[in-house]
Amino acid sequence: MIRYSEDIAKKVKKGQIPKEIFVHINNAFLSFDLTKDISLFDIKQLKKSEETDRIYFRLRKGKYRAIFYIDDNTIFVIALDKREEVYKKWQ
């Protein structure tokens, strides 16, 4: 299962994130959810949160990045934006 933050949904509705980019990223997450194989996608581990013991990852699609973590077989996407912006907002 894939869950997106409310912020991402608002940005897609407002057109701040192109719908075609969102569709590509969503399809990648759907495929990843089925296969559970990180090596098939452009996914890298970012860091582990010491507060929550979560391991964060990023999915790259062109100029856009999605930051996510996995908990109980659910993918939680917490940030989606252009490369220049996503890391500033997330950290």
Side-chain angles (χ1 to χ4, degrees), residues 17-80:
I17 297 173
K19 287 188 180 184
E20 67 245 11
I21 295 295
F22 180 76
V23 169
H24 285 297
I25 288 177
N26 190 52
N27 288 340
F29 277 125
L30 289 172
S31 299
F32 173 64
D33 193 32
L34 288 174
T35 63
K36 304 292 189 221
D37 188 1
I38 287 179
S39 67
L40 296 176
F41 307 94
D42 194 356
I43 295 175
K44 288 190 178 179
Q45 181 176 333
L46 295 176
K47 67 179 182 179
K48 183 175 181 177
S49 171
E50 294 180 13
E51 300 165 357
T52 61
D53 264 355
R54 291 184 184 141
I55 300 173
Y56 290 92
F57 300 89
R58 74 101 172 108
L59 169 70
R60 182 175 72 173
K61 194 69 173 172
K63 293 182 181 180
Y64 284 83
R65 307 293 187 267
I67 308 296
F68 68 97
Y69 66 91
I70 302 167
D71 192 20
D72 294 330
N73 291 324
T74 301
I75 299 169
F76 292 93
V77 184
I78 59 171
L80 173 60

